[in-house]
Every structure is written in structure tokens, then in C-alpha cells.
Amino acid sequence: MESIFLFLDENLLLIYLLIFTVILGFELISNVPTILHTPLMSGANAISGVVIIGAILLIRNADPTDYLTLSLGALGVVLGMINVVGGFAVTNRMLKMFNKKKK
């Protein structure tokens, strides 16, 4: 029980920052107009690409016996790839809606 309080005490600023960014992100995303959804999704895909690069670097620099770091890095790569592929598929589908139909 004491280790939980020690963790909270040492990382209180990071916990506040996490809560603040979750609330800020929710407010920003909920107020985005529909017309801006596709460009913002493309930007989010680019950010996910950076996350994938970071996860790969984490795996590369981790100690081979540090299974937690290796697992988190692998999870980051997998989830980032799912996000990128799904995001590009949805963006492509939305952009096809704006194409003129051939007669």
C-alpha cells in the first residue's frame, strides 16, 4: 500500500498532465466540425506513425531480459499499426464520397 502512495507522490505532475490532456482532447474532438474530420484523421495517422517509430526504437534499445519494456514496445507497434491502417482505410472511404461518379 505504501508503494502506491510513493508512486502517486513521485508522479503526481504526470498524473495531472494525463487527466488534463484527456479532458482537453475530449473537448477538442467533440467540437470538430464534420468537414474537418478527414484532414484531422490524416494528421492523426501521421502521429500514429511517429508512435510506431518510437515503439520500434524502444524495442531496439531495450535490454533483452526486460520483458515489460519489450512487451510494451510490441504492443505499441501493433496498436499503432492497427490505428494507421484503419485510419487510412476510413480516410480513403470518406474521400471516395467526394469523387464525381462516372456516367
Side-chain angles (χ1 to χ4, degrees):
M1 191 70 159
E2 190 174 307
S3 62
I4 293 173
F5 292 122
L6 182 62
F7 174 79
L8 291 175
D9 189 41
E10 290 177 353
N11 297 306
L12 193 59
L13 182 63
L14 293 176
I15 293 169
Y16 285 147
L17 185 62
L18 176 66
I19 293 170
F20 173 72
T21 54
V22 167
I23 293 170
L24 180 66
F26 179 77
E27 286 298 319
L28 287 175
I29 290 171
S30 64
N31 293 323
V32 170
T34 307
I35 191 114
L36 291 177
H37 184 267
T38 302
L40 288 175
M41 182 172 257
S42 297
N45 289 335
I47 292 171
S48 291
V50 172
V51 169
I52 294 168
I53 299 292
I56 291 170
L57 290 174
L58 178 72
I59 292 171
R60 181 169 168 81
N61 292 330
D63 185 34
T65 60
D66 189 2
Y67 297 116
L68 177 65
T69 304
L70 293 172
S71 300
L72 289 176
L75 184 66
V77 170
V78 169
L79 292 178
M81 286 303 299
I82 290 171
N83 193 23
V84 167
V85 171
F88 279 122
V90 170
T91 302
N92 190 30
R93 183 176 172 199
M94 290 182 72
L95 289 175
K96 284 182 181 178
M97 292 173 23
F98 295 106
N99 288 342
K100 293 182 180 179
K101 294 181 181 169
K102 295 180 182 179
K103 294 181 181 178

